């Protein structure tokens, strides 16, 4: 939805914020709604991975379930919730996750830096979405 809007109006889409504001002026909110779900998804991902870094004994499935409860679950219908619950069981073991990323300690440092940047972007976008002119 966001990409479609960006392709349809590239001159009004230099940032996600400008894309949404330009779309709302047309009395539409398809991309704004898409951005809302994108931010929720990014928040879910960042909270799950942050939980993993901060809780060395927790498996990824536990971290993702915890993040799901506080981010996406409140917005999902009773039909979608069981699908996500099943998906949480499909997460890899933490040891396999870190093995794919490289040396565990180095991977944790890099993941921490990446999460800092992601959390900042989520914060910026959430603050934008709370502004009056970004509402539909």
């Amino acid at each position: 939805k966001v990409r479609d809007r960006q392709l349809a109006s590239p001159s009004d889409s230099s940032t996600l914020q400008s894309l949404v504001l330009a779309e709302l002026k047309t009395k539409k909110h398809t991309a704004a709604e898409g951005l809302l779900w994108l931010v929720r998804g990014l928040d879910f991902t960042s909270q799950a991975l942050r939980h993993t870094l901060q809780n060395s004994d927790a498996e990824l499935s536990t971290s993702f379930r915890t993040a799901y409860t506080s981010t996406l679950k409140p917005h999902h219908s009773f039909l979608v919730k069981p699908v996500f619950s099943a998906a949480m069981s499909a997460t890899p073991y933490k040891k396999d996750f870190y093995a794919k990323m490289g040396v565990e300690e180095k991977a944790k440092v890099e993941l921490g830096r990446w999460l800092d940047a992601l959390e900042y972007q989520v914060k910026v976008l959430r603050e934008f979405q709370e502004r009056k002119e970004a509402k539909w």
Side-chain angles (χ1 to χ4, degrees), residues 105-116:
E105 287 309 311
K106 182 179 178 189
K108 285 181 179 180
V109 170
E110 291 299 318
L111 180 58
R113 287 185 190 137
W114 182 82
L115 279 172
D116 289 343

Side-chain angles (χ1 to χ4, degrees), residues 4 6 74 112:
D4 290 344
Q6 192 274 331

Side-chain angles (χ1 to χ4, degrees), residues 6-43:
Q6 192 274 331
L7 291 172
S9 186
S11 63
D12 293 331
S13 305
S14 61
T15 66
L16 290 169
Q17 294 91 330
S18 64
L19 178 150
V20 167
L21 294 174
E23 179 191 54
L24 291 175
K25 288 178 184 175
T26 69
K27 305 294 183 202
K28 295 180 183 176
H29 56 82
T30 304
E33 189 175 345
L35 181 61
L36 175 67
W37 280 100
L38 175 62
V39 171
R40 287 175 179 167
L42 293 172
D43 190 29

Side-chain angles (χ1 to χ4, degrees), residues 53-114:
L53 281 178
Q54 292 174 342
N55 298 277
S56 59
D57 294 337
E59 277 298 333
L60 287 177
S61 59
T62 301
S63 296
F64 275 84
R65 278 190 184 95
T66 300
Y68 177 70
T69 299
S70 64
T71 57
L72 297 175
K73 188 176 182 178
H75 309 288
H76 282 165
S77 71
F78 73 97
L79 295 172
V80 175
K81 289 175 184 176
V83 173
F84 263 80
S85 181
M88 298 306 107
S89 299
T91 57
Y93 291 110
K94 185 165 50 175
K95 66 178 178 56
D96 298 333
F97 175 73
Y98 283 126
K100 292 285 183 188
M101 291 178 64
V103 179
E104 185 171 341
E105 287 309 311
K106 182 179 178 189
K108 285 181 179 180
V109 170
E110 291 299 318
L111 180 58
R113 287 185 190 137
W114 182 82

